[in-house]
Amino acid sequence: MNTQHFLTLDDLSTKTLQSIIDRAIDLKSLQNDGAIYEPLKNQSLAMIFNKASTRTRVSFEVAMQQLGGTSINLNPSETQIGRGEVIKDTARVISSMVDGIMIRTDSHAKLEEFASYSTVPVINGLTDDYHPCQLLADLQTVQELRGSAVGCTMAWIGDGNNVCHSFMNAARLFGFELQIATPIGYEPSSEVVARNNSSIRLSNDPREAASNADVIITDTWSSMGQEDEKNERNNAFTGFCVDQALMRLAKKDAIFLHCLPAYRGCEVSEEVIEGPQSAVFQEAENRLHAQKALLEFLMKG
Ligand code: CP
Ligand code: NVA
């Protein structure tokens, strides 16, 4: 049987994704009740971080510990990866010793190459193109607060980036409408637009996108690897800050999501991120529960 990876949401069926989200909610309540549940005893997860991380690093490490297994953090600069060992050798060696591998890197093609040589499940912990683990937590949060993502109207205000691409995939797979507003020149990739065309609406007007939304989402204007473009991007995104005026265009009980880290005064105002509609800390905590459900699904056997 082929090894089951999780490189984008499309690696799993909607039914399986939904069962992982439901399971995340169950595991969250088990954890809150203080229950010990260790289905991954003696199993190991290798984590390779080519980019910085707070939430992904902590949530995967704690997830493995709570599930009874262990994790190993491999910093490329302290391993042979950073000295040019080829992906196909690294993938075969690491996967011969561990039970799962989480990778955060730049190129999605490199992640796919790694997965093609890995004999154990590979999980995308973010690439330049996608961030599917974030979506598991985001959909869990929407389910907890709104009952279901199905039939919702969501608004993505800002950069057409990796998280936006995963939201676009989610819109098609889960049946919600995603109203996307980006500045001209910062639209999502045309390939991802084509694949999800029937579930998304593109514009360059944040007010139009926010209109009547159940969920408003944004992310940093400069993703990791785009630090040199920061000034140019800050100028281009003028008018795209999610502030109270924009939130007022959404439904009265709309929620605000942001994968974090957030830059107050840029993509979101202090008032909105700290306000009553913000679910960003519930969303961040859900990274732990959603990934526990994902690890259980991929590694329990
Ligand atoms: N949202 C998210 O992936 O955060 P980190 O970069 O801190 O892992
Ligand atoms: N779009 C952001 C997400 C960080 C979690 C980035 O890629 O840096």
Side-chain angles (χ1 to χ4, degrees):
M1 200 181 102
N2 287 342
T3 307
Q4 178 67 68
H5 301 300
F6 186 61
L7 309 187
T8 73
L9 291 175
D10 279 305
D11 282 332
L12 301 177
S13 67
T14 305
K15 190 167 165 243
T16 301
L17 291 167
Q18 184 60 59
S19 73
I20 290 171
I21 293 162
D22 293 341
R23 182 68 180 148
I25 293 173
D26 290 347
L27 289 174
K28 183 176 184 174
S29 101
L30 272 179
Q31 188 64 33
N32 289 340
D33 291 344
I36 307 286
Y37 175 62
E38 298 184 324
L40 300 188
K41 240 185 162 51
N42 297 320
Q43 295 213 37
S44 323
L45 178 78
M47 305 191 296
I48 302 172
F49 283 99
N50 259 312
K51 288 177 170 180
S53 169
T54 299
R55 280 142 288 268
T56 307
R57 165 87 193 266
V58 176
S59 54
F60 270 109
E61 200 163 324
V62 172
M64 282 306 290
Q65 183 257 319
Q66 290 184 357
L67 293 171
T70 55
S71 57
I72 309 161
N73 184 39
L74 298 169
N75 180 343
S77 68
E78 291 166 4
T79 64
Q80 302 292 2
I81 300 168
R83 297 184 66 250
E85 184 165 11
V86 294
I87 288 174
K88 59 184 178 181
D89 291 357
T90 307
R92 281 177 288 185
V93 170
I94 297 178
S95 68
S96 72
M97 299 183 198
V98 301
D99 306 284
I101 303 171
M102 191 289 316
I103 304 179
R104 169 169 285 196
T105 191
D106 42 15
S107 150
H108 195 77
K110 281 195 220 158
L111 176 77
E112 289 176 331
E113 185 190 352
F114 194 110
S116 73
Y117 284 97
S118 172
T119 51
V120 298
V122 172
I123 298 170
N124 179 358
L126 179 147
T127 61
D128 288 350
D129 295 335
Y130 297 102
H131 196 1
C133 290
Q134 184 65 50
L135 260 291
L136 294 179
D138 291 7
L139 293 168
Q140 179 187 342
T141 310
V142 171
Q143 186 163 319
E144 287 170 338
L145 295 172
R146 310 286 305 207
S148 168
V150 181
C152 278
T153 299
M154 305 203 198
W156 177 274
I157 316 280
D159 191 19
N161 64 13
N162 44 8
V163 182
C164 177
H165 289 164
S166 286
F167 257 104
M168 292 163 73
N169 284 345
R172 166 177 43 83
L173 290 165
F174 281 83
F176 61 85
E177 175 162 306
L178 188 64
Q179 305 183 154
I180 301 169
T182 69
I184 293 167
Y186 295 93
E187 291 86 0
S189 109
S190 49
E191 186 214 312
V192 184
V193 168
R195 190 167 353 117
N196 297 302
N197 216 11
S198 59
S199 309
I200 61 166
R201 265 194 18 224
L202 288 176
S203 83
N204 304 113
D205 180 357
R207 294 173 61 84
E208 186 184 319
S211 194
N212 220 26
D214 299 281
V215 183
I216 303 262
I217 318 136
T218 189
D219 185 13
T220 180
W221 292 337
S222 302
S223 285
M224 290 180 277
Q226 297 171 334
E227 289 78 8
D228 292 351
E229 300 170 31
K230 201 166 178 182
N231 288 340
E232 189 190 320
R233 283 175 167 267
N234 283 351
N235 288 332
F237 283 83
T238 304
F240 281 76
C241 179
V242 177
D243 56 13
Q244 288 292 14
L246 209 58
M247 286 301 292
R248 272 196 288 274
L249 299 172
K251 289 196 180 133
K252 267 200 167 50
D253 57 351
I255 59 168
F256 172 73
L257 296 181
H258 188 312
C259 64
L260 304 179
Y263 300 92
R264 289 160 167 83
C266 293
E267 75 272 10
V268 61
S269 71
E270 173 79 11
E271 240 187 334
V272 167
I273 196 166
E274 297 293 347
Q277 289 171 284
S278 172
V280 300
F281 296 108
Q282 181 172 340
E283 177 187 10
E285 181 194 323
N286 284 341
R287 293 292 304 278
L288 169 64
H289 309 297
Q291 284 157 202
K292 280 172 75 176
L294 177 69
L295 291 166
E296 180 188 40
F297 170 78
L298 293 174
M299 289 166 66
K300 194 174 158 202

